Amino acid sequence: MSLLTATAIVACALSVSVTACAQETREFNIPAGGLGEALNAFASQSDQQIFFTADLVTDLSTGGLRGRHLPRGALDRLLAGTGLTWAETRPGVIYIRRGESTPRTAEAVAVEDVVVTGTLLKTSGELASPVLVLSRGDLDARGLGTVADTLAALPQNYAGAANPGASLALADQNGGNTSLATGVNLRGLGADATLVLVNGRRVAGSGSRGELADVSALPSAAVERVDVLLDGASALYGSDAVAGVVNIIMRRSFEGQESRLRLGAVRGSGEDIIASHLAGRTWSSGAAFISYEYQRTNSLNSLDRDYTRDADLRPFGGSDRRAVFSAPGNIVAFDAVSKAYVSRWAIRPGASGTATSPADLAANTANLTSQLLGVDLWPDVERHSLYGRVRQSLGDRLELSADVRFSRRSFGFDNGATVSILSVNRNNPFFVSPSGATSHTIAYSFFEDLGATRRKGVSRSVGVTGGATYDLGAGWTMDGYLAFAEERGGTTTYGRVNSLFLNEALGTAADNPATDYRASRDGYFNPFGGGGANNATVLAFIGSGYGGTVNRTRASSANFLASGSVLELPGGPLELAFGGQARSETFRTRSLTWASTVLPVSVVTPVRERDIAGLFAEARIPIVGEANARPGLRRLELSIAGRIERYDDFGTTSNPKIGLVWPPAAALTLRTSYGTSFRAPALTQLYDRSGVSVTTVPRADGANVLALYRSGGNPDLEPETAETWTLGFDYVRPAGLRFSVNAFETRFSNRISQPVAENVSGVLTNPSVAPFVTLVDPGNNAADLALVRTFTTLPTFTQGALYPDTAFGAILDARWVNATSVDVRGLDLTLAYPLEIGGDRLTFDVSGSYILDYDMQTTVAAPNLSVVGVVGYPVRLRSRAGLSWSHADLGADVHWNHVAAYEDGVGDTVEAWDTADLQLSWAPAGGAFAGLRLALTVLNLFDADPPFYNGAVGFGFDPGQANPLGRSVALQLIKRW
């Protein structure tokens, strides 16, 4: 009620303003087809209200429109030859009517052609590759808070990586998303295999390896549209465009002001507020605008959902995922057979809160606790984003432009508590032995003593570009621009246990003269209690540890592109575009850790740099056109593109692309494409410093094995390569039906991966990763003990005091290698069918992605496995279908989202997940509230829980295919001033 009341007050205040509808030049991309559908596209792309009756446009069609136009001139062109005209009753409110004599004469000409994603050419024409376009109207109709949320929900995107939810639920085995960015992971080939552009230009990478483009850093209100190229495109854009390209097109200009407010909430917590304002001005030779957006999101804790509250999943039909690291703890012993710690006695404190005698120790049983108790499933977020753009024409031929974007996103979340194996002896006054031994090993969780650790971070993104476009004459133009982008992310985890201080507090080690702590004076740490048996001084001392990392990525480039018509062929003009690029990338990281030493340890990694030079070209060859058309062969176009790039660290790569477009009938267009793509190794994948940490992995019998986990770069890595094919058609009826089908295949070779990191839970049972696993028995084998000590004695190994060297049962090599090959085949489908019934407009739409095959070979020695429909990979089918209705000022939108059933990796089925979304909107065309849009959006209308998944980490859902948010309610207000 508070949210509704606040929004109503703001709505009343904003409605006092009178709408001043913009008449700035706009980018239009309206395909040929039915006039009714074209007019609705015009309304969306011009941000204006347009009204007409169904009978007025029945059987009328238009040739479409593409380029930069004034809205009134664009509308004249769409209506040319139809006998219809238009009138503007008030700014931004347009009515279509029959003309009295002849249609109006166009008042404006195209200012500039649109640069279409998927081609370097600026002229109109169908593309050989499929492109999904999300207009400004589409983004608003989805009802999601940001463009990042909309992209994450696409059927072609796999959400098991590169988003905050996957990272916090430990589903993202890649582990590089330290700044909790939101990327795009088309086809599930990895976020680093999808190239993200802003206005066709690269952004700096985010995360610990700088390979993830953060789409959440942009102010969504300043976005004009989003193009998703569902095809490899390294021939056009260079590295990373393996699975596809996401090009976020920002508004080019704006006249007036626009305010937005969105308030949302979910059950338990997760409240979200987004407020933005955009102001701009246009003049005869240019334009300028600036947009600011603020977002504040509250965290959602695992204790707020039944299926994540406790790792004992047996009530849901799963397994007990709790471990012996608990409080009260367990006296454990290392079992040589199982290679794991097993509980011999469970500590059961009496009324005093601590075990005081052997009677308080229960033999052959265990205290069990979730290792992720109380962690957050979604972080606290506060974001400030800014985008500005200015352009100015100098004479008739030269236009200068510049834009700047800035984002600062701070975040925090509760992370897992410290768990450890403690060595305790009789020096500790709380020591109790059930067997008369002088020392014991205790598996312990510090959750009850110190709570969850807390991780905080800040991600800062900056981008600046400046460019010029010059009309060379004879249909040729030249574009050039300079660009700079930087991404800086830092995170620090607080509340960690310092193992050196812990051993001092336990009495295992003598008092350290370098510390102010004295166990005899300040107290010993009591591991025989239930978590409340230690005083504040002791807890502050042992819990003073922390660890933090700062990563900085920079990308700068100089670019030029010339395009125009070369000669006239029988089928039409041969168009050519060519250009070059010089690009520089740098990455640096530094860390500060206080986990096992008296003073913090700082590590600075040398700055890694890379220089790239590239040349590229594209040609469109009209084989058949209007002049030489024949029945069944109205038009036939061939497109050819190629790119050569030289990297100073691993050499030269070249990639071609070829496409063919054939419309055999007016309503039908067939298309196909073939190309190769590549992804250069990330700088950190090549040069990242080696490190060793500790993890536990399950054996086939379910027992956990303590393992050493090796990580680091590999300077011998080679680029990933891919071959991509597409084949599809677009069917557009004059009445408005649009139906598209696209078949695709991507063969991904030499893929850079960490086979161990991607399969940690099955590393001891999956034979395909056996080459990266070394089983050891250091308690009984001197050679194995020596091998273990080569890692535990490294200066960078900070967990040495937590575990004895004889406790480890395996050494896992998780360094980067060129290991994996992937072959993905599938179908994409989109359908939209608008209807006019009286004064009501209905639109039925369907979109989906069906994966036929997802075959993967983890290593050369491994078998080729089909992983489609297996947890951690895309499901067979993701789809969205629904109906939109509008009548005068009112609108309603209801959609059904479907995620197909799949397997959990051991043969059990994870059921399908079906949810419904609803949006109700009011956008009055006239009166005091003109220019206002009010929308109520309910996501997951029926509050459907995600299907149960017997997750190894103890969460009963799969973050790759579902989310734990439940029903989400949001109220959004948009006001044009």
Side-chain angles (χ1 to χ4, degrees):
M1 289 300 297
S2 298
L3 295 177
L4 294 173
T5 303
T7 305
I9 293 173
V10 175
C12 293
L14 292 179
S15 65
V16 176
S17 171
V18 177
T19 301
C21 189
Q23 280 299 323
E24 74 274 15
T25 57
R26 292 283 185 126
E27 293 181 357
F28 290 94
N29 187 7
I30 302 174
L35 181 60
E37 186 71 11
L39 291 175
N40 281 285
F42 166 83
S44 173
Q45 295 176 25
S46 65
D47 279 344
Q48 300 192 67
Q49 302 276 344
I50 189 165
F51 295 93
F52 56 90
T53 60
D55 62 302
L56 201 63
V57 297
T58 301
D59 298 327
L60 293 180
S61 61
T62 177
L65 182 74
R66 183 172 289 166
R68 292 206 64 82
H69 305 266
L70 290 170
R72 60 179 62 242
L75 186 55
D76 287 335
R77 287 169 176 262
L78 290 175
L79 297 178
T82 65
L84 302 179
T85 187
W86 58 271
E88 189 173 33
T89 60
R90 60 182 294 130
V93 181
I94 297 172
Y95 286 86
I96 305 297
R97 62 190 182 187
R98 298 190 188 282
E100 297 179 358
S101 54
T102 60
R104 294 163 57 98
T105 303
E107 300 176 6
V109 297
V111 177
E112 177 188 352
D113 292 325
V114 176
V115 178
V116 181
T117 304
T119 179
L120 303 174
L121 301 166
K122 295 187 176 182
T123 55
S124 61
E126 293 88 351
L127 298 178
S129 297
V131 178
L132 173 66
V133 179
L134 299 172
S135 68
R136 178 71 259 173
D138 296 330
L139 297 172
D140 289 337
R142 293 293 181 102
L144 297 169
T146 64
V147 169
D149 294 334
T150 302
L151 290 171
L154 289 178
Q156 294 84 1
N157 182 68
Y158 172 60
N163 65 80
S167 296
L168 267 59
L170 303 185
D172 189 351
Q173 300 293 349
N174 185 276
N177 190 13
T178 53
S179 59
L180 298 188
T182 301
V184 186
N185 184 11
L186 294 176
R187 314 298 188 200
L189 292 174
D192 53 4
T194 298
L195 177 62
V196 175
L197 308 172
V198 175
N199 293 332
R201 298 159 187 179
R202 288 176 176 263
V203 299
S206 182
S208 62
R209 287 185 290 276
E211 59 185 2
L212 170 64
D214 184 10
V215 294
S216 70
L218 297 168
S220 297
V223 174
E224 179 78 22
R225 74 176 197 273
V226 180
D227 295 345
V228 183
L229 175 65
L230 299 170
D231 189 13
S234 287
L236 301 172
Y237 301 109
S239 177
D240 306 339
V242 174
V245 177
V246 173
N247 192 8
I248 302 174
I249 310 297
M250 310 300 286
R251 296 182 194 252
R252 190 171 187 267
S253 57
F254 192 85
E255 179 68 32
Q257 300 184 61
E258 180 184 88
S259 300
R260 291 173 176 250
L261 176 66
R262 184 182 189 274
L263 304 172
V266 300
R267 173 171 50 88
S269 188
E271 297 86 2
D272 181 61
I273 178 171
I274 302 176
S276 67
H277 189 76
L278 186 151
R281 181 187 175 191
T282 62
W283 53 92
S284 60
S285 58
F289 80 92
I290 190 167
S291 175
Y292 168 75
E293 186 170 88
Y294 172 82
Q295 180 178 18
R296 181 73 174 91
T297 303
N298 291 336
S299 62
L300 178 68
N301 195 267
S302 59
L303 298 176
D304 292 327
R305 297 293 182 264
D306 292 340
Y307 46 86
T308 59
R309 182 175 297 128
D310 191 301
D312 186 359
L313 301 178
R314 290 175 297 179
F316 304 95
S319 305
D320 189 351
R321 302 297 191 182
R322 296 175 299 169
V324 295
F325 298 90
S326 64
N330 299 281
I331 296 178
V332 296
F334 186 74
D335 184 75
V337 177
S338 65
K339 303 294 183 184
Y341 279 102
V342 295
S343 176
R344 300 303 188 201
W345 290 274
I347 300 173
R348 301 290 170 82
S352 64
T354 184
T356 58
S357 69
D360 294 326
L361 306 174
N364 300 318
T365 187
N367 299 315
L368 301 176
T369 299
S370 168
Q371 304 305 284
L372 296 178
L373 187 64
V375 303
D376 283 334
L377 301 173
W378 199 260
D380 287 320
V381 176
E382 185 174 52
R383 174 175 60 88
H384 301 267
S385 296
L386 185 72
Y387 180 81
R389 182 182 176 99
V390 61
R391 60 181 178 84
Q392 176 66 53
S393 296
L394 302 178
D396 296 332
R397 293 195 171 190
L398 178 64
E399 180 180 274
L400 304 179
S401 63
D403 65 355
V404 59
R405 54 181 175 82
F406 173 81
S407 175
R408 185 185 187 277
R409 177 171 50 84
S410 58
F411 57 90
F413 60 92
D414 286 344
N415 206 10
T418 301
V419 298
S420 181
I421 297 290
L422 311 181
S423 179
V424 189
N425 57 39
R426 292 189 179 276
N427 290 334
N428 189 300
F430 303 102
F431 181 81
V432 178
S433 174
S435 62
T438 59
S439 66
H440 282 298
T441 301
I442 298 177
Y444 195 81
S445 168
F446 290 87
F447 181 82
E448 298 295 338
D449 298 282
L450 301 172
T453 58
R454 181 71 179 175
R455 181 174 295 182
K456 296 182 179 181
V458 175
S459 177
R460 188 192 67 188
S461 176
V462 177
V464 180
T465 64
T469 300
Y470 187 75
D471 184 355
L472 298 172
W476 277 81
T477 61
M478 175 172 286
D479 296 285
Y481 69 89
L482 300 174
F484 170 81
E486 180 182 88
E487 188 85 17
R488 185 181 185 276
T491 62
T492 302
T493 301
Y494 300 94
R496 293 175 55 177
V497 171
N498 185 305
S499 60
L500 182 68
F501 296 171
L502 173 63
N503 284 330
E504 184 178 348
L506 285 169
T508 305
D511 285 339
N512 192 329
T515 70
D516 294 331
Y517 179 85
R518 298 294 179 265
S520 59
R521 180 192 65 203
D522 299 314
Y524 287 83
F525 180 79
N526 180 5
F528 291 89
N534 292 287
N535 65 55
T537 302
V538 174
L539 296 180
F541 179 59
I542 68 169
S544 59
Y546 61 82
T549 303
V550 177
N551 304 298
R552 190 198 70 190
T553 304
R554 286 181 175 174
S556 56
S557 64
N559 312 262
F560 81 91
L561 174 70
S563 62
S565 177
V566 179
L567 55 88
E568 192 72 24
L569 298 176
L574 188 155
E575 298 163 8
L576 175 67
F578 62 89
Q581 181 184 75
R583 192 167 81 249
S584 176
E585 299 173 351
T586 64
F587 180 85
R588 68 174 301 174
T589 182
R590 69 177 188 269
S591 63
L592 185 66
T593 303
W594 197 17
S596 60
T597 54
V598 174
L599 297 175
V601 176
S602 176
V603 177
V604 178
T605 300
V607 177
R608 303 301 184 183
E609 298 181 272
R610 166 183 286 163
D611 293 321
I612 308 107
L615 296 174
F616 47 85
E618 181 184 12
R620 179 178 293 155
I621 306 170
I623 300 173
V624 177
E626 183 177 347
N628 60 347
R630 62 194 68 183
L633 195 59
R634 302 171 60 251
R635 183 161 51 88
L636 185 66
E637 290 184 352
L638 176 68
S639 61
I640 301 174
R643 187 181 187 103
I644 298 175
E645 289 195 340
R646 170 69 181 177
Y647 285 72
D648 65 350
D649 52 357
F650 65 81
T652 302
T653 179
S654 59
N655 291 273
K657 185 169 186 177
I658 186 169
L660 194 65
V661 176
W662 170 40
L668 180 65
T669 300
L670 306 180
R671 48 181 167 72
T672 185
S673 67
Y674 165 80
T676 66
S677 295
F678 78 102
R679 190 187 78 83
L683 290 170
T684 49
Q685 291 174 334
L686 290 167
Y687 307 116
D688 200 9
R689 65 188 179 95
S690 298
V692 180
S693 59
V694 175
T695 188
T696 57
V697 290
R699 299 190 329 159
D701 59 3
N704 287 325
V705 176
L706 197 66
L708 289 169
Y709 185 93
R710 300 182 62 191
S711 59
N714 181 354
D716 296 324
L717 290 177
E718 297 178 358
E720 300 172 328
T721 59
E723 291 181 284
T724 58
W725 291 265
T726 68
L727 175 65
F729 68 85
D730 299 309
Y731 183 70
V732 182
R733 290 286 302 275
L737 173 67
R738 294 185 59 84
F739 181 46
S740 298
V741 174
N742 176 61
F744 65 88
E745 180 175 13
T746 300
R747 292 182 178 176
F748 204 172
S749 303
N750 220 25
R751 187 181 180 189
I752 300 171
S753 65
Q754 296 169 297
V756 168
E758 295 171 1
N759 191 32
V760 171
S761 62
V763 71
L764 298 184
T765 57
N766 187 343
S768 66
V769 294
F772 305 100
V773 178
T774 302
L775 298 177
V776 294
D777 185 8
N780 298 296
N781 187 302
D784 287 349
L785 180 60
L787 178 61
V788 167
R789 286 178 173 168
T790 61
F791 302 111
T792 59
T793 56
L794 291 172
T796 55
F797 185 67
T798 61
Q799 297 165 292
L802 298 179
Y803 309 96
D805 292 341
T806 55
F808 297 99
I811 300 173
L812 312 179
D813 190 347
R815 291 174 295 179
W816 295 98
V817 292
N818 287 107
T820 311
S821 64
V822 178
D823 190 358
V824 183
R825 293 178 291 274
L827 298 170
D828 294 322
L829 177 147
T830 59
L831 181 147
Y833 186 43
L835 294 172
E836 296 282 351
I837 304 176
D840 298 299
R841 178 175 179 81
L842 300 173
T843 301
F844 174 72
D845 66 274
V846 178
S847 62
S849 182
Y850 187 85
I851 305 296
L852 297 168
D853 298 292
Y854 194 118
D855 297 333
M856 185 177 70
Q857 189 176 25
T858 307
T859 63
V860 176
N864 198 28
L865 301 175
S866 175
V867 294
V868 62
V870 177
V871 66
Y873 301 94
V875 298
R876 286 279 184 190
L877 174 66
R878 289 179 62 95
S879 60
R880 175 180 170 86
L883 183 68
S884 300
W885 166 85
S886 62
H887 179 88
D889 301 341
L890 301 176
D893 182 291
V894 60
H895 275 80
W896 165 63
N897 309 291
H898 175 70
V899 178
Y902 56 104
E903 294 184 357
D904 66 356
V906 295
D908 294 333
T909 298
V910 179
E911 301 295 335
W913 195 40
D914 295 286
T915 59
D917 300 336
L918 173 68
Q919 185 180 87
L920 304 175
S921 62
W922 177 55
F929 294 99
L932 174 72
R933 184 178 189 270
L934 193 64
L936 175 67
T937 303
V938 184
L939 306 176
N940 195 351
L941 179 64
F942 302 108
D943 199 20
D945 283 340
F948 176 72
Y949 163 59
N950 192 21
V953 300
F955 290 155
F957 81 106
D958 175 16
Q961 306 295 353
N963 68 69
L965 298 179
R967 182 188 294 117
S968 172
V969 181
L971 194 60
Q972 184 181 50
L973 181 148
I974 303 174
K975 174 62 179 176
R976 290 288 297 270
W977 302 77

